């Protein structure tokens, strides 16, 4: 039985990268693979709700307490000082190498460009390593352009989300064959509740990146008293305040924030349309979920949405920032709702055929089954330097001193 070790980005299931590859892991378990998932935690617990979810599906989940999980210059707060973070990185690499050795792991897969520990651990243990890239090298993720040589050196295979991201990664690695995948969300088409009025619904965290203020400004321009605007998802406090302040300043009515919901699609009705105004996405899983539920949808033309749209070619797109264009599209969708709803309902079966896990992950699944042998890397010559744990080395020195002291005492006793 082949054993695969995944290194995950966040240790939470509130983002597309984690959710989609969790579904891939479940698929691989059903195919007979042994799967181990390694994820970060800043707690001292060895189990939490996240790890229990994996265990429930036969996936071993190992949580590593860490000072810093992503690259130093990746987005996110830097805890501790540089020395402490370096020690934490080494400890994580050491733990992953031990897991590889103890479980006779055949393949390591890093599920984000933002982490490097799995790549190094795989090289130190002479195992092949796959890198899955979900992030466009732009804005907060532009930092990884400086790390392309490392990614190239420490990856047996590189995969990127298909569409515009895959095209971009191909440009960045002209001498590599880049393979692709589409993030997969496991969702069953559900019967929508009966709605009392037409609503515009947007699902996703209220944040600058999701760009909900643009939709609020569009709703203002629509000026429709017969329509409600509903946001489903948690929020970044500062951006939520920005949205609420605008609503108050413009005296807008019929706008609601429902907060985070375990299954947001339970909140949708048969009179809703979905609008997703994100300024940036990697793919656009909520767009796919809307299609699978037969809900008329409008989405922005950011690169991730465009990649998803290329797969399905269904729904309507508008140019990010073009409020006039979005207003017209929403107006038409509301006024011709019956036809839009019928077309969306009729498309469900086709969407399901396009969006099968075995299809969207076909290149990864095939590469796992036919993986090439490990390409020797010289980093193995400094394994001790990269995995040495300072605390353990101090303990070892203390143990040695104690043993020597005991030996001296025994020697003196014997002389007597």
């Amino acid at each position: 039985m082949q054993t695969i070790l995944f290194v995950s980005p966040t240790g939470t299931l509130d983002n597309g990268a984690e959710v989609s590859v969790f579904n891939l892991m479940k698929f691989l378990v059903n195919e007979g693979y042994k799967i181990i998932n390694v994820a970060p935690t800043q707690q001292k617990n060895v189990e939490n709700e996240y790890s229990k979810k994996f265990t429930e599906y036969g996936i071993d989940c190992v949580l590593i307490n860490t000072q810093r999980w992503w690259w130093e210059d990746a987005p996110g707060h830097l805890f501790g000082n540089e020395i402490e973070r370096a020690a934490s990185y080494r400890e994580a690499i050491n733990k992953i190498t031990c897991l590889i050795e103890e479980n006779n792991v055949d393949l390591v897969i890093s599920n984000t460009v933002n982490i490097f520990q799995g790549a190094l651990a795989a090289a130190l243990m002479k195992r092949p390593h796959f890198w899955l890239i979900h992030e466009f090298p732009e804005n907060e993720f532009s930092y990884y352009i400086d790390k392309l040589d490392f990614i190239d050196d420490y990856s047996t295979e590189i995969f990127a989300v298909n569409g515009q991201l895959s095209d971009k990664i191909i440009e960045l690695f002209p001498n590599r064959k880049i393979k692709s995948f589409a993030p997969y969300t496991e969702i069953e088409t559900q019967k929508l509740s009966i709605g009392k009025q037409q609503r515009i619904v947007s699902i996703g965290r209220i944040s600058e990146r999701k760009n909900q203020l643009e939709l609020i400004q569009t709703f203002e321009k629509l000026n429709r008293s017969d329509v409600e605007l509903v946001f489903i998802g948690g929020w970044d406090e500062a951006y939520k305040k920005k949205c609420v302040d605008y609503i108050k300043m413009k005296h807008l009515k019929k706008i609601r924030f429902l907060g985070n919901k375990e299954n947001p699609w339970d909140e949708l009705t048969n009179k809703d349309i979905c609008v997703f105004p994100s300024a940036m996405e990697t793919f656009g899983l909520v767009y796919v979920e809307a299609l699978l539920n037969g809900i008329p949808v409008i989405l922005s033309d950011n690169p991730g949405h465009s990649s998803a749209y290329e797969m399905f070619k269904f729904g309507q797109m508008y140019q990010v920032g073009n409020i006039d264009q979005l207003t017209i599209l929403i107006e038409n969708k509301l006024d011709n709702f019956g036809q839009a709803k019928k077309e969306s309902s009729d498309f469900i079966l086709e969407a399901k055929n396009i969006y099968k896990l075995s299809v969207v992950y076909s290149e990864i699944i095939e590469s796992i089954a036919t993986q090439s042998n490990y390409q020797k890397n010289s980093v193995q010559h400094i394994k001790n330097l990269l995995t040495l744990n300072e605390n353990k080395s101090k303990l070892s020195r203390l143990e040695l001193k104690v043993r020597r002291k005991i030996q001296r005492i025994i020697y003196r006793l014997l002389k007597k």
Side-chain angles (χ1 to χ4, degrees), residues 123 126-128 153 155-156 372-378 380:
K126 305 177 187 178
R127 301 298 199 277
D153 288 344
S155 54
T156 312
S372 55
N373 292 328
Y374 167 74
Q375 300 292 317
K376 188 175 180 181
N377 194 299
S378 58
Q380 62 191 276

Side-chain angles (χ1 to χ4, degrees), residues 26-38:
K26 289 192 294 183
F27 173 85
L28 292 171
V29 167
N30 290 333
E31 292 292 301
Y33 293 91
K34 178 181 177 182
I35 303 298
I36 302 168
N37 179 50
V38 174

